[in-house]
Amino acid sequence: MNNFKLLSVIFFLILSSVIISCGDKKKDAPPVGAQMQQQVITADALIVATRPLSSDIEIPGTILANETTEIHPEVSGRVVQLNVREGTFVSKGALLAKLYDGDLQAQLRKLDVQLQIAEQTEKRQAELIKIQGISQQEYDLSLLGVSNLKADIDILKEAVRKTEIRAPFSGKLGLKNISDGAYVTSATIITTISQVSQLKIQFNVPEKYGSQLRTGQNINFTVDGSNKNYTANIIAAEVKMDENTRSLAIRGIVKNSDAALIPGVFAKVKIVLGQNENAIMVPTIVVQPLGRKKLVYLYRGGKSMPTDITTGIRDSSSVQVLTGLSVGDTVITTGLLFLRPGADIKLKKVSNP
């Protein structure tokens, strides 16, 4: 039993010595940060230079006919003549449909006869009033009757005109929606007509770009199904921003004519907002966000030095630097996760555009 106690005491003393020894080693070991500071980071770098930069945006748009409208009758009635040939071009004023007007024509003939008699009566009474054969009041009533009949005839002629549906402008007809003999009302769409000899394009730009577009400015666009680039000229903008999308509607006249350009086609609009011949561009990956700031690391005297920058336009791989960099600065492009202010840097590769 005494031997067991002696062995336990010896084991406890040995274990305590090991623990104390390990603690001393931990105290003597340098911190991890100190070890990293003693290391030299190998990295690549880029010499800052300038290059031309186009500021442009790409937004969706829609091709529109210069003029387009639905063809509705002004009055209700039965169609007795239909001249709508789908997909054909018609001139302004061409008769597209005719409604039944037999009752109106009968009333018109009746009024014509009444007018002839009233005019003859007015002429006789005009001669009688010269010799004071009738009173002035009688003659005035006769003249009033003639005027009333003429007004009634004009009303009937206008009613007859409304039974004729004509093309409001020259254009291409769409599909017809009725057949001969159909009864139509003012809500009936007979067909559509579009002026496709001249096309327009409409698109919406974000409000921050609205002030940069002006009347007369050229824009380029493409459409699906064609590899051509088309051009349009801005003619007008909406008078106010859309409150829901915070965008401004822009409309332009298309300068090209092509079978691929059909009203309603989706278009990709590219607008060049400006050109900078001496833009400083750096790879997007070297820009590190720090709160609300952005910084890049420069190579100076073998050390990494952070500098605050402000950025501008981006493209697929680069970003424009507006302030914080000068031509000739050396920007570190690799090993960014290990960089700290004042870290020792050894450059492996330096790119010079």
Side-chain angles (χ1 to χ4, degrees):
M1 191 69 179
N2 293 331
N3 291 335
F4 178 75
K5 291 182 178 179
L6 180 61
L7 289 174
S8 298
V9 172
I10 293 172
F11 177 76
F12 177 75
L13 292 174
I14 293 172
L15 182 60
S16 300
S17 299
V18 171
I19 293 174
I20 293 171
S21 176
C22 291
D24 292 340
K25 288 181 179 180
K26 287 184 179 180
K27 291 180 180 178
D28 295 338
V32 177
Q35 290 179 355
M36 294 182 64
Q37 287 181 356
Q38 295 171 4
Q39 295 179 355
V40 177
I41 301 173
T42 302
D44 297 338
L46 171 72
I47 304 298
V48 175
T50 61
R51 67 177 176 87
L53 173 66
S54 294
S55 173
D56 52 44
I57 56 175
E58 188 172 281
I59 50 181
T62 303
I63 302 299
L64 306 174
N66 185 47
E67 301 289 348
T68 186
T69 188
E70 297 174 342
I71 303 298
H72 293 261
E74 294 185 61
V75 295
S76 301
R78 177 170 55 86
V79 177
V80 295
Q81 183 180 352
L82 187 63
N83 299 327
V84 177
R85 297 180 60 190
E86 299 168 322
T88 60
F89 287 88
V90 295
S91 300
K92 179 179 180 179
L95 181 64
L96 303 179
K98 173 67 177 175
L99 305 184
Y100 177 75
D101 65 350
D103 53 342
L104 297 176
Q105 294 291 353
Q107 294 180 46
L108 191 59
R109 289 192 296 270
K110 177 182 177 181
L111 289 178
D112 283 336
V113 173
Q114 292 178 352
L115 178 62
Q116 292 177 7
I117 296 174
E119 287 178 337
Q120 292 175 0
T121 301
E122 185 270 332
K123 288 181 181 179
R124 288 195 297 268
Q125 290 184 349
E127 295 297 328
L128 290 174
I129 199 172
K130 291 179 181 179
I131 59 174
Q132 297 182 351
I134 59 173
S135 66
Q136 183 67 40
Q137 182 180 8
E138 290 177 315
Y139 174 74
D140 290 343
L141 290 174
S142 177
L143 187 61
L144 177 61
V146 172
S147 299
N148 287 339
L149 287 172
K150 287 182 177 180
D152 291 340
I153 290 174
D154 288 340
I155 293 173
L156 274 177
K157 286 182 177 180
E158 180 63 18
V160 171
R161 183 200 63 77
K162 289 181 179 180
T163 64
E164 299 176 349
I165 298 95
R166 298 183 179 273
F169 49 80
S170 299
K172 185 177 181 179
L173 296 178
L175 303 179
K176 66 178 181 180
N177 299 311
I178 63 169
S179 300
D180 286 308
Y183 185 86
V184 296
T185 67
S186 58
T188 304
I189 301 175
I190 297 176
T191 186
T192 59
I193 184 171
S194 300
Q195 196 175 77
V196 295
S197 57
Q198 178 65 71
L199 297 175
K200 297 177 182 178
I201 185 170
Q202 183 165 318
F203 52 92
N204 287 22
V205 297
E207 61 179 343
K208 66 178 180 179
Y209 300 120
S211 61
Q212 301 183 44
L213 299 179
R214 62 188 184 279
T215 302
Q217 182 176 341
N218 288 331
I219 59 171
N220 298 317
F221 68 92
T222 58
V223 296
D224 292 338
S226 175
N227 56 4
K228 296 181 180 180
N229 288 319
Y230 302 97
T231 305
N233 187 265
I234 295 177
I235 58 171
E238 188 55 88
V239 295
K240 65 175 184 176
M241 291 282 178
D242 186 287
E243 296 179 358
N244 296 321
T245 62
R246 296 300 175 186
S247 61
L248 183 67
I250 305 292
R251 186 170 292 180
I253 289 289
V254 178
K255 294 184 177 180
N256 314 82
S257 59
D258 192 279
L261 298 180
I262 303 172
V265 165
F266 172 82
K268 296 178 182 177
V269 182
K270 185 177 182 180
I271 305 174
V272 178
L273 299 175
Q275 183 80 17
N276 187 348
E277 298 296 334
N278 298 300
I280 294 178
M281 303 292 291
V282 297
T284 305
I285 193 173
V286 307
V287 180
Q288 300 188 24
L290 184 63
R292 294 186 177 182
K293 297 182 180 180
K294 298 176 183 177
L295 60 86
V296 297
Y297 277 93
L298 300 181
Y299 175 82
R300 287 179 180 171
K303 303 287 186 180
S304 62
M305 300 298 295
T307 181
D308 293 338
I309 63 170
T310 57
T311 59
I313 300 168
R314 295 175 180 266
D315 59 23
S316 58
S317 61
S318 303
V319 60
Q320 181 188 17
V321 177
L322 301 176
T323 62
L325 291 182
S326 302
V327 176
D329 287 343
T330 304
V331 177
I332 301 172
T333 58
T334 62
L336 302 175
L337 295 177
F338 306 102
L339 294 180
R340 301 172 314 282
D344 293 328
I345 302 296
K346 179 180 178 181
L347 295 182
K348 179 181 179 182
K349 180 183 177 182
V350 179
S351 302
N352 190 344

